[in-house]
C-alpha cells in the first residue's frame, strides 16, 4: 500500500525501462545479425525475453535505490530504528518484499507486455518453469536486498557511502547479466561469476530460468545457488548490523 501511492513514479519507471528495452534489444539484434542462429545458447526469442523480462525485473529486485539507510545512519535517525523491538534487517526486508510484490504487478508486467506487442518473445515450454521463475525472482529480490543493505551499512564506518554505492551500481549491472548475459563471456568465467559472486543471482539466474537455458536439472541447480547466496548474504547482513551497532557514533553528540 505504501509504494502503490507513488503512481507517477511507477509510470515514469515503466516508461524508462521500456525505452531502454528497445535500446538493449537493438544491441542484441546486432549480435544475432552477425550470422549465428544462436549466441551463447540463446536464440532470438530467448534473447528478446531476456531483455524485456530483465527490464521488468530491475524494478522487482530494485537493482539501484537511494541509500536511505546510509543517510539515517549518518544523521543518527537510525537510533529510532534500533529502539524498535524488530531487528532492522528483518524489518527492512519485510518492507522490501512488499515493495517487490507491487512492482511485480506493475513494473514487471508492463515492459513484458510492451515487448510482446513488438517482438516474438519466448514462452516457456515446461509448465514448471513458471513456478521456478517465481521462486527465482523471490530469491533474487532477497539477494539484491542483502547486497544493498551491506552497501548502506558501510555508513556505520564510512559515513559517506557514495564509493560503495558506485561500486555496486557498476558491478551489479556488468557482472549481474543486465547489460549482457554473462554467458557471452567464456564459460569458465561465467560459471565462476555465478557460483562465487552474488551478482548473477540478482538478474542473470532468474532470466536463465525463465528462458529455459539448459535442462530442468540446471534450473534447480541455479535455484540452489541463489538459495545459498540468500543464506550467506542475510547472515552477513546480520553480522555487519551487530558490529555496526557497537561502533555507531552520532555526529554532533
Amino acid at each position: 500500500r505504501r509504494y502503490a501511492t507513488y503512481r507517477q513514479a511507477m509510470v515514469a519507471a515503466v516508461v524508462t525501462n521500456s525505452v531502454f528495452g528497445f535500446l538493449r534489444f537493438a544491441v542484441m539484434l546486432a549480435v544475432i545479425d552477425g550470422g549465428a542462429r544462436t549466441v551463447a545458447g540463446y536464440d532470438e526469442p530467448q534473447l528478446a525475453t531476456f531483455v524485456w523480462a530483465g527490464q521488468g525485473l530491475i524494478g522487482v529486485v530494485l537493482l539501484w535505490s537511494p541509500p536511505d539507510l546510509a543517510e539515517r545512519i549518518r544523521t543518527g535517525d537510525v537510533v529510532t530504528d534500533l529502539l524498535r523491538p524488530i531487528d532492522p534487517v528483518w524489518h527492512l526486508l519485510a518492507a522490501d518484499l512488499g515493495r517487490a510484490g507491487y512492482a511485480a504487478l506493475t513494473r514487471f508486467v508492463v515492459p513484458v507486455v510492451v515487448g510482446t506487442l513488438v517482438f516474438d518473445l519466448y514462452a516457456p515450454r515446461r509448465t514448471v518453469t513458471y513456478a521456478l521463475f517465481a521462486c527465482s525472482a523471490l530469491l533474487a529480490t532477497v539477494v539484491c536486498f542483502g547486497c544493498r543493505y551491506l552497501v548502506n551499512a558501510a555508513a556505520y564506518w564510512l559515513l559517506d557511502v557514495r564509493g560503495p554505492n558506485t561500486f555496486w551500481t557498476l558491478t551489479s549491472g556488468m557482472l549481474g547479466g543486465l547489460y549482457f548475459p554473462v554467458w557471452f563471456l567464456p564459460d569458465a568465467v561465467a560459471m565462476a561469476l555465478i557460483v562465487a559472486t552474488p551478482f548473477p543471482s540478482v538478474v542473470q539466474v532468474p532470466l536463465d530460468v525463465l528462458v529455459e537455458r539448459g535442462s530442468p536439472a540446471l534450473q534447480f541447480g541455479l535455484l540452489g545457488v541463489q538459495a545459498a547466496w540468500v543464506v550467506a548474504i542475510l547472515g552477513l547482513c546480520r553480522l555487519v548490523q551487530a558490529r555496526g551497532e557497537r561502533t555507531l557514533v552520532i555526529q554532533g553528540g
Side-chain angles (χ1 to χ4, degrees):
R1 292 176 59 185
R2 171 187 172 187
Y3 287 94
T5 61
Y6 302 106
R7 291 182 290 273
Q8 290 181 341
M10 183 273 293
V11 172
V14 166
V15 172
T16 301
N17 289 341
S18 298
V19 170
F20 274 93
F22 286 102
L23 297 177
R24 287 186 58 208
F25 190 56
V27 176
M28 297 298 175
L29 281 178
V31 176
I32 290 291
D33 288 342
R37 292 187 176 181
T38 62
V39 178
Y42 304 97
D43 58 20
E44 184 173 327
Q46 286 177 312
L47 279 178
T49 303
F50 191 97
V51 168
W52 286 101
Q55 289 302 110
L57 199 61
I58 293 174
V60 177
V61 301
L62 196 61
L63 195 59
W64 308 300
S65 65
D68 295 334
L69 175 60
E71 182 63 18
R72 291 180 64 79
I73 294 173
R74 188 188 68 81
T75 61
D77 292 339
V78 72
V79 172
T80 303
D81 302 327
L82 300 179
L83 292 175
R84 295 189 177 116
I86 303 176
D87 186 282
V89 175
W90 312 129
H91 171 230
L92 292 177
L93 175 58
D96 199 62
L97 291 176
R99 175 208 55 75
Y102 173 70
L105 299 176
T106 53
R107 295 187 61 178
F108 179 80
V109 170
V110 175
V112 172
V113 171
V114 171
T116 303
L117 293 175
V118 182
F119 301 103
D120 181 21
L121 299 191
Y122 177 85
R125 306 291 193 266
R126 300 185 289 264
T127 305
V128 70
T129 296
Y130 294 96
L132 294 179
F133 174 69
C135 293
S136 184
L138 175 60
L139 294 173
T141 301
V142 178
V143 172
C144 189
F145 162 81
C147 292
R148 288 187 282 106
Y149 192 95
L150 293 175
V151 170
N152 278 263
Y156 282 119
W157 294 271
L158 303 178
L159 293 183
D160 188 345
V161 298
R162 283 178 292 182
N165 196 47
T166 300
F167 174 80
W168 162 252
T169 300
L170 294 175
T171 54
S172 61
M174 184 174 298
L175 303 181
L178 177 64
Y179 302 146
F180 57 87
V182 298
W183 293 108
F184 280 14
L185 301 172
D187 288 349
V189 176
M191 185 59 68
L193 287 174
I194 292 174
V195 174
T197 72
F199 305 114
S201 290
V202 177
V203 175
Q204 177 72 43
V205 170
L207 297 179
D208 274 348
V209 170
L210 178 62
V211 302
E212 296 179 333
R213 185 186 186 278
S215 64
L218 178 60
Q219 289 180 311
F220 281 103
L222 292 175
L223 261 69
V225 171
Q226 282 185 294
W229 275 112
V230 165
V231 174
I233 288 289
L234 291 182
L236 185 57
C237 286
R238 193 61 203 88
L239 175 62
V240 169
Q241 177 63 31
R243 296 295 297 270
E245 291 173 10
R246 299 178 186 176
T247 61
L248 178 64
V249 176
I250 305 303
Q251 295 186 81

